[in-house]
Amino acid sequence: MDVAHPEEVTRFSPDILELMEKFNVSEACFLPPPISIQLILQLTWLDIGVFAALTAMTVLTIAIYLEITCYLMDKVKCPIKRKTLMWNSAAPTVIAITSCLGLWVPRAIMFVDMAAAMYFGVGFYLMLLIIVQGYGGEEDMLQHLATHTIRISTGPCCCCCPCLPQIHLTRQKYKIFVLGAFQVAFLRPALFLLGVVLWTNGLYDPDDWSSTSIFLWLNLFLGVSTILGLWPVNVLYRHSKVLMADQKLTCKFALFQAILILSSLQNSIIGTLAGAGHIGCAPPYSARTRGQQMNNQLLIIEMFFVGILTRISYRKRDDRPGHRHAGEVQQIDRECEQPAIADQQADHSSVSHI
């Protein structure tokens, strides 16, 4: 015999009671997500099998990441580059873990989704660092790009402006690029924290998509921040993908975009379908909770395959440095110039002798 918890004793309005009696709708369609113990007691054997299979896929995703970590620690000599690759390659694993937690703890779905989104927000800055460290560091990149022009009329925010001039990447312009990628890593946690604070006061409602909804405006602001953060990464990637073909930069950037689409766009599409009534209520889940569960199930499967592709893309031996100070770069330049000066002096002395 099930015991009703205090928070489940809900008083429905007369309109909802009339709808429930008229259309024979279950109370679960109007209740918040069930707690974990109730969910487990109401699962069928088929549901338990599906949950167990998805949990096993999450564990395999973690194992794949641990194998990648061991490989990077052994084969990547530069500690700075090694840490960047390890943190960035963990994105599918983190999303799989949070999705699995949301699967077993439905009432924590909003919080685990926020945790995954905050972690992936840092991925914008990490992806920029991977490109910079592929050159050998900031100084080497600026020295290499000083004589090259970069096309900035690229997506996602400048693809409709082909008239924009090509630029030379200076230190000041590079700082703007870094700021554009870093603002996502800062604003995502700040906006989600603000959303949690407003949610505790009943002001942050994910089901409210009206023009006065705080949830809608926060998400629009977050979308603009994401577009602005993706633009500098895309600019540097388009210029560096041929130069860093041996470092599998194209595969890494493609996986980064795939995770962004699957973790953000897919969740928005399923949430919109659930809010429009295209995803029905299925006790013990309401329509919105069922949509969130479907999204988590898809993410676990998708992140498993993305984790396999991540293992292939990041499994690359690398002995090159990922960072060098300005003094070290200048010293290398002087060492390279000394043989050339010696050759010129030798040529000049031979001409004078003749």
Side-chain angles (χ1 to χ4, degrees):
M1 180 177 180
D2 295 339
V3 179
H5 292 264
E7 64 270 16
E8 295 173 8
V9 180
T10 306
R11 293 184 178 181
F12 298 108
S13 63
D15 296 337
I16 294 179
L17 289 174
E18 183 180 354
L19 289 174
M20 291 169 58
E21 294 177 358
K22 183 177 180 180
F23 296 100
N24 194 22
V25 180
S26 173
E27 292 183 1
C29 297
F30 303 95
L31 289 173
I35 62 176
S36 299
I37 186 63
Q38 285 188 327
L39 174 64
I40 295 174
L41 293 176
Q42 296 182 49
L43 290 177
T44 63
W45 286 108
L46 178 61
D47 295 331
I48 293 176
V50 172
F51 276 42
L54 294 174
T55 305
M57 294 184 74
T58 304
V59 174
L60 289 175
T61 305
I62 297 173
I64 292 172
Y65 171 68
L66 293 177
E67 195 274 336
I68 296 174
T69 302
C70 295
Y71 182 88
L72 293 176
M73 292 180 64
D74 183 50
K75 302 299 182 181
V76 179
K77 301 304 179 183
C78 177
I80 297 178
K81 184 182 293 187
R82 182 168 61 240
K83 290 178 182 179
T84 304
L85 294 174
M86 289 169 58
W87 278 99
N88 201 47
S89 62
T93 307
V94 172
I95 295 176
I97 292 174
T98 55
S99 299
C100 188
L101 289 175
L103 202 65
W104 289 101
V105 191
R107 292 200 176 183
I109 286 180
M110 184 178 73
F111 300 100
V112 297
D113 287 347
M114 286 182 176
M118 286 189 293
Y119 184 92
F120 189 68
V122 183
F124 286 79
Y125 181 63
L126 293 176
M127 194 68 220
L128 182 70
L129 287 183
I130 287 178
I131 299 175
V132 174
Q133 293 169 5
Y135 283 99
E138 177 183 338
E139 298 297 331
D140 284 357
M141 182 191 69
L142 294 175
Q143 186 182 39
H144 174 81
L145 297 180
T147 57
H148 292 75
T149 56
I150 299 178
R151 186 167 63 92
I152 61 175
S153 57
T154 61
C157 58
C158 294
C159 55
C160 58
C161 303
C163 57
L164 290 177
Q166 297 185 358
I167 65 171
H168 293 279
L169 188 64
T170 62
R171 191 175 301 277
Q172 295 297 327
K173 295 174 183 176
Y174 170 70
K175 289 181 180 179
I176 296 176
F177 280 24
V178 173
L179 182 62
F182 185 76
Q183 55 89 19
V184 185
F186 173 77
L187 287 180
R188 276 205 172 198
L191 291 178
F192 282 130
L193 179 61
L194 177 61
V196 171
V197 173
L198 295 176
W199 174 78
T200 58
N201 290 276
L203 301 176
Y204 184 86
D205 185 8
D207 292 331
D208 186 6
W209 290 83
S210 63
S211 59
T212 58
S213 169
I214 296 178
F215 171 79
L216 176 63
W217 287 105
L218 283 181
N219 276 270
L220 287 176
F221 188 76
L222 186 61
V224 173
S225 173
T226 302
I227 292 175
L228 293 177
L230 187 59
W231 174 72
V233 179
N234 196 18
V235 169
L236 286 181
Y237 160 73
R238 288 183 177 275
H239 185 80
S240 309
K241 60 182 179 180
V242 177
L243 181 66
M244 300 183 188
D246 60 326
Q247 302 182 43
K248 301 181 179 179
L249 181 62
T250 300
C251 296
K252 293 175 183 176
F253 189 73
L255 291 173
F256 170 77
Q257 289 182 313
I259 296 174
L260 175 63
I261 293 173
L262 294 174
S263 62
S264 301
L265 185 59
Q266 176 178 278
N267 189 21
S268 300
I269 292 174
I270 294 179
T272 303
L273 292 176
H278 296 291
I279 297 178
C281 167
Y285 301 124
S286 63
R288 177 173 173 269
T289 306
R290 187 185 177 200
Q292 292 173 332
Q293 292 291 83
M294 291 172 59
N295 180 59
N296 285 332
Q297 292 173 359
L298 289 173
L299 279 177
I300 292 174
I301 299 173
E302 292 160 354
M303 291 303 111
F304 172 73
F305 291 104
V306 172
I308 294 175
L309 296 176
T310 301
R311 178 185 180 275
I312 298 173
S313 301
Y314 284 78
R315 194 177 177 84
K316 175 69 176 178
R317 184 183 183 92
D318 194 346
D319 297 327
R320 289 170 292 188
H323 174 76
R324 283 203 291 256
H325 296 287
E328 185 179 351
V329 175
Q330 292 173 2
Q331 181 180 0
I332 293 175
D333 292 340
R334 287 194 297 268
E335 292 176 355
C336 294
E337 291 173 358
Q338 286 177 359
I341 295 174
D343 293 339
Q344 291 178 1
Q345 292 177 350
D347 294 340
H348 180 70
S349 60
S350 62
V351 171
S352 300
H353 179 72
I354 294 174

